[in-house]
Amino acid sequence: MSAISILVIEDDEAVVELLSAAFRDAGHLVRAARTLAEGRRLLEQANTDMIIMDRGLPDGDGLSLCLTLRKDSRFRGVPIIMLTGKDAPPDKVLGLRFGADDYLAKPFEMDELLARVDAILRRTCPGAVFLAGRLEAGGIVLDLPGRRVMVKDGVIDLTGREYELLRVLMEKAGTVLTREFLLGTVWKAQGGTVGRKTVDVTVMNLRRKLGDKGALIVAVRPDGYKMLPAGK
Ligand code: CA
């Protein structure tokens, strides 16, 4: 799982704080610039995986920097999300034409911005930790919208039942879940057509696929399983 480096170019301090906190919580590196000039300087200084940029900045329109970067072979591939108060459709078209990868009007919902960042990261940084719709326990990461399971840098291939079982165990990490409960939630058990043995077999297969992380799922006598909480 690799951290990504995000550059925020924004003169609204409240937005900078909000974005920085969200990205840092996800383990990413964040640098913030308040002007276009400072943004350019930070770009030159260190690797940047994504830029989130306001349009109305003290020393000019973010679109001009967007255009400059798209003509520079060093920065051409860095995804840019534009933020703006000017949400009229012609402006949006202009932003995308100037090379922005996405465009979000202020005031925006944080969840929506994070989902859009994730959508771009899935394309450009497949090993990145996602921000929205993510569940993590003991180094296992579930990307909920993508229904993907990641351990370290690898994606684990699970069946639908194994995925659902893992999701429930992770959501309730630390709690003992009985076989009856698991049959009801994962198998939606219909009148005993699926037996308790099925739970055991699926847990066994899931553990095997998770490799050394499989040890996080433990049997609890007399009748259930639990996922050890992170750090145990
Ligand atoms: Ca501004």
Side-chain angles (χ1 to χ4, degrees):
M1 220 57 54
S2 52
I4 60 161
S5 171
I6 299 176
L7 175 62
V8 176
I9 310 178
E10 165 67 86
D11 60 333
D12 182 336
E13 211 50 50
V15 176
V16 172
E17 301 255 316
L18 202 68
L19 295 178
S20 300
F23 295 140
R24 288 204 176 106
D25 282 352
H28 296 316
L29 308 168
V30 193
R31 289 169 302 148
R34 272 71 180 179
T35 62
L36 290 174
E38 194 187 352
R40 278 197 197 93
R41 198 161 57 241
L42 292 180
L43 271 170
E44 299 282 346
Q45 279 172 3
N47 174 62
T48 303
D49 295 312
M50 180 177 293
I51 300 168
I52 297 175
M53 179 162 56
D54 187 25
R55 272 199 61 185
L57 291 157
D59 55 348
D61 188 331
L63 281 183
S64 64
L65 177 58
C66 201
L67 194 60
T68 310
L69 296 179
R70 287 300 173 250
K71 289 178 177 165
D72 187 326
S73 60
R74 295 171 303 161
F75 304 117
R76 190 171 294 148
V78 181
I80 299 173
I81 297 179
M82 300 286 306
L83 302 175
T84 183
K86 302 175 182 177
D87 60 347
D91 265 310
K92 180 167 182 158
V93 171
L94 197 63
L96 297 173
R97 216 173 256 162
F98 271 58
D101 293 81
D102 209 342
Y103 203 93
L104 204 55
K106 287 181 185 175
F108 57 87
E109 293 290 331
M110 198 59 191
D111 282 351
E112 182 171 9
L113 175 64
L114 296 182
R116 291 187 188 208
V117 169
D118 282 351
I120 292 174
L121 288 181
R122 267 188 206 101
R123 210 170 64 228
T124 60
C125 301
V129 172
F130 300 116
L131 304 155
R134 189 178 70 120
L135 194 61
E136 184 167 2
I140 303 170
V141 176
L142 252 62
D143 162 26
L144 300 171
R147 286 181 73 87
R148 292 196 310 170
V149 179
M150 289 160 291
V151 173
K152 294 178 190 127
D153 278 334
V155 174
I156 309 250
D157 192 27
L158 298 181
T159 65
R161 293 284 188 223
E162 289 162 357
Y163 174 87
E164 285 304 318
L165 177 64
L166 179 61
R167 189 174 59 79
V168 172
L169 284 164
M170 286 176 69
E171 276 174 356
K172 300 185 183 295
T175 307
V176 178
L177 306 178
T178 64
R179 289 182 181 81
E180 269 65 37
F181 175 85
L182 292 170
L183 281 169
T185 49
V186 177
W187 280 266
K188 319 268 184 258
Q190 317 91 346
T193 52
V194 183
R196 297 149 56 94
K197 193 83 191 152
T198 307
V199 178
D200 297 339
V201 170
T202 310
V203 168
M204 196 176 70
N205 291 336
L206 176 59
R207 272 188 184 144
R208 183 174 42 78
K209 290 186 181 179
L210 290 173
D212 57 355
K213 297 290 179 193
L216 289 169
I217 302 169
V218 294
V220 181
R221 286 174 198 282
D223 198 39
Y225 291 97
K226 77 170 175 182
M227 177 128 206
L228 298 176
K232 295 281 164 60

